[in-house]
Amino acid sequence: MFVDRAKIDIKSGKGGDGCVSFRKEPYVPEGGPDGGDGGKGGDVIFMADNSLRTLMDFRYKRKYEAEDGQNGMRKKCYGKNAENLIIKVPPGTIVIDEASGHVMKDLVKHGDSIVAAKGGKGGKGNVHFKTAVRQAPNFAEAGSFAKERKIVLELKLIADVGLVGFPNVGKSTFLSVSTSAKPKIANYHFTTITPNLGVVEIFDTSFIMADIAGIIEGAHAGAGLGHEFLKHIERTKLLIHVVDISGSEGRDAIEDFEKINKELTLYNERLAKRHQIVVANKMDLINEDDERYIKFKKHVEAQGFKVFPASAPIHLGVHEVLAEAAAQLDVLSKMEEEEVYEFFDFEQDARDETYKNIYASKDGDVFILTGKQLEKIFNSTNFNDMGSLRYLHKYIEKSGGLDKLKEIGLADGDTVRIKNFEFEYFDD
């Protein structure tokens, strides 16, 4: 099964907590704090790998979590940094942040990678909080939070040449006689329901050709299998536009040619500028003196495209088409490729603009305080140490949390909740 789209959940590792510890060796006067720092949480990294061809694996596993960093230890021992989680995807995979819809990275070549979720930093041990006044700090810093994201993976085939045209015009047959690919071929529409790839070897060069099926009128709006297939044309440098010149199914070649080009333009204007080679296929059913062929050739050449008469099953004209494709690709490969996507910097987790925000709400008679920085300071608080508790209370006051609680009705004796901890408020 060819799978070219998947949705998954990823979560980086939480940073390890700093350690609260004091030297306890005999004969060491005033040993002081010796708590080590926590280790960094693992990053979640997407990496392109040539050994993969589809996104099939993501059909069966939808959740990926990196390891948490190890907590700090006594004797100033640092916690171990967690291993990064590397998720391998096929080359040609686009990584998209579902929440914003922005493209994080287009992983085109083997080895291309993106850090999709950075692991949390390790918290500092109590050794860092010793001062001339505070000789025995009985608290440490909690590790930074993990980062969670919903990710959309979208695979767009990497092919040099794309075969386009209406169903049943002979694209799959053309691919089969040009390459070693073995697509399903039958005399009915939509025989091809997944894109097929093949390698063309001609002269002293080779290129990848893809049979892009499923394009019909209205494909740009999703009709038929439009969106599933049209996206695979976007990476191609050259299109071979196959038309049934014989009219064997009662179709008009000129009308079909114009309709397909219109669909390409409506889907993506850049495709309208793509170089094309036009193949008048099924020429074994008519001859080159036929009025239909002459009229079609004149119409297409007036638009600047070359027309090649062909009949794929008997190999008529196939070599000429492939030779022209190789020559055009040689020229196109020397041209600079335009940037397809605008990438956003998603490796900015440490610069979260909402990190310091603090929020007040009410649940029945209980007043609730929430916030990312508040939660980290709360996790770092030692409730058996007055200095640590004093720091938490001072933070709530300076950050505006107390004012926000009073704005929604906080009074003496009311209960305030932070995470799972509740305390009574008294105005000194």
Side-chain angles (χ1 to χ4, degrees):
M1 181 184 293
F2 182 82
V3 179
D4 57 4
R5 187 176 174 85
K7 291 184 180 181
I8 62 173
D9 296 323
I10 63 170
K11 183 179 181 182
S12 64
K14 175 187 174 297
D17 296 334
C19 175
V20 176
S21 175
F22 297 91
R23 297 185 65 178
K24 300 176 181 178
E25 299 93 335
Y27 317 115
V28 181
E30 301 179 359
D34 70 347
D37 298 351
K40 178 183 173 297
D43 298 338
V44 179
I45 301 172
F46 288 97
M47 180 178 290
D49 189 307
N50 281 337
S51 66
L52 300 175
R53 290 290 178 268
T54 78
L55 300 174
M56 171 68 78
D57 292 348
F58 301 102
R59 279 282 180 95
Y60 305 105
K61 184 177 179 182
R62 300 290 182 90
K63 193 165 185 178
Y64 295 81
E65 295 185 11
E67 295 179 352
D68 294 339
Q70 186 180 19
N71 293 338
M73 295 168 282
R74 59 188 304 266
K75 294 186 178 180
K76 300 181 183 179
C77 290
Y78 285 14
K80 182 182 177 183
N81 292 336
E83 294 288 334
N84 294 330
L85 174 62
I86 298 177
I87 304 174
K88 294 183 179 180
V89 295
T93 300
I94 301 167
V95 183
I96 303 168
D97 176 59
E98 186 181 48
S100 65
H102 292 154
V103 174
M104 301 177 75
K105 190 72 179 278
D106 186 6
L107 305 176
V108 179
K109 303 186 296 295
H110 176 78
D112 284 354
S113 64
I114 174 69
V115 178
K118 290 186 73 69
K121 293 181 180 179
K124 294 178 180 179
N126 69 335
V127 70
H128 292 280
F129 300 100
K130 178 182 177 181
T131 66
V133 176
R134 187 173 52 218
Q135 293 288 318
N138 201 24
F139 59 91
E141 183 183 31
S144 297
F145 302 113
K147 181 70 179 179
E148 296 184 60
R149 276 202 173 98
K150 291 186 179 295
I151 295 291
V152 176
L153 299 174
E154 191 170 277
L155 174 62
K156 294 185 180 181
L157 293 180
I158 298 190
D160 302 299
V161 177
L163 289 168
V164 298
F166 270 96
N168 214 34
V169 296
K171 298 186 299 298
S172 295
T173 303
F174 191 92
L175 180 72
S176 69
V177 301
S178 305
T179 72
S180 59
K182 304 296 180 186
K184 181 180 179 182
I185 300 172
N187 190 31
Y188 58 85
H189 289 192
F190 298 107
T191 309
T192 306
I193 58 173
T194 61
N196 291 302
L197 286 174
V199 178
V200 175
E201 295 183 354
I202 185 167
F203 307 131
D204 59 348
T205 187
S206 65
F207 58 85
I208 298 173
M209 186 160 65
D211 173 12
I212 312 295
I215 304 177
I216 61 173
E217 194 169 6
H220 73 279
L225 299 172
H227 284 171
E228 283 80 353
F229 287 125
L230 278 167
K231 64 186 177 185
H232 293 296
I233 305 176
E234 291 185 62
R235 295 191 191 277
T236 58
K237 299 183 181 74
L238 175 68
L239 298 178
I240 295 180
H241 192 152
V242 183
V243 177
D244 178 0
I245 195 64
S246 71
S248 59
E249 297 188 353
R251 308 186 65 88
D252 180 82
I254 293 177
E255 189 177 316
D256 283 0
F257 176 76
E258 294 298 337
K259 282 181 178 178
I260 291 293
N261 281 334
K262 182 181 178 182
E263 290 303 317
L264 297 178
T265 303
L266 290 172
Y267 177 74
N268 189 326
E269 288 186 3
R270 290 184 300 103
L271 294 180
K273 303 173 185 176
R274 194 74 84 243
H275 292 259
Q276 284 191 28
I277 297 172
V278 181
V279 176
N281 200 29
K282 302 189 181 181
M283 282 295 292
D284 55 317
L285 301 180
I286 64 172
N287 58 60
E288 293 190 27
D289 295 329
D290 192 293
E291 185 181 346
R292 287 169 293 180
Y293 174 71
I294 295 171
K295 186 178 178 182
F296 175 77
K297 187 172 187 291
K298 184 178 180 181
H299 177 83
V300 173
E301 288 181 344
Q303 299 183 39
F305 301 119
K306 289 185 179 181
V307 179
F308 290 81
S311 177
I314 61 174
H315 294 240
L316 173 66
V318 173
H319 178 80
E320 288 76 8
V321 173
L322 299 179
E324 176 65 18
Q328 290 201 26
L329 285 173
D330 185 52
V331 175
L332 293 171
S333 64
K334 298 172 184 175
M335 299 170 61
E336 288 188 14
E337 294 185 16
E338 61 180 306
E339 190 68 61
V340 178
Y341 301 105
E342 178 184 359
F343 299 123
F344 289 78
D345 180 13
F346 279 85
E347 298 185 27
Q348 56 181 345
D349 302 338
R351 304 190 299 276
D352 187 346
E353 294 179 1
T354 66
Y355 178 70
K356 293 185 178 181
N357 292 0
I358 193 164
Y359 308 94
S361 60
K362 193 175 180 182
D363 181 14
D365 295 329
V366 179
F367 292 81
I368 302 171
L369 271 181
T370 57
K372 295 178 183 177
Q373 188 178 50
L374 169 67
E375 188 173 335
K376 182 174 180 180
I377 292 174
F378 179 87
N379 290 340
S380 304
T381 302
N382 180 352
F383 291 92
N384 296 316
D385 181 79
M386 287 305 299
S388 184
L389 275 172
R390 197 177 299 114
Y391 182 83
L392 173 63
H393 295 160
K394 192 178 294 184
Y395 167 78
I396 294 172
E397 186 175 358
K398 287 186 174 181
S399 65
L402 189 56
D403 292 336
K404 290 182 178 181
L405 288 171
K406 288 180 178 179
E407 286 174 7
I408 59 174
L410 180 69
D412 275 8
D414 286 338
T415 301
V416 177
R417 180 191 301 154
I418 301 174
K419 290 189 70 176
N420 58 350
F421 183 81
E422 293 184 352
F423 58 90
E424 284 188 81
Y425 168 72
F426 293 101
D427 192 358
D428 296 335

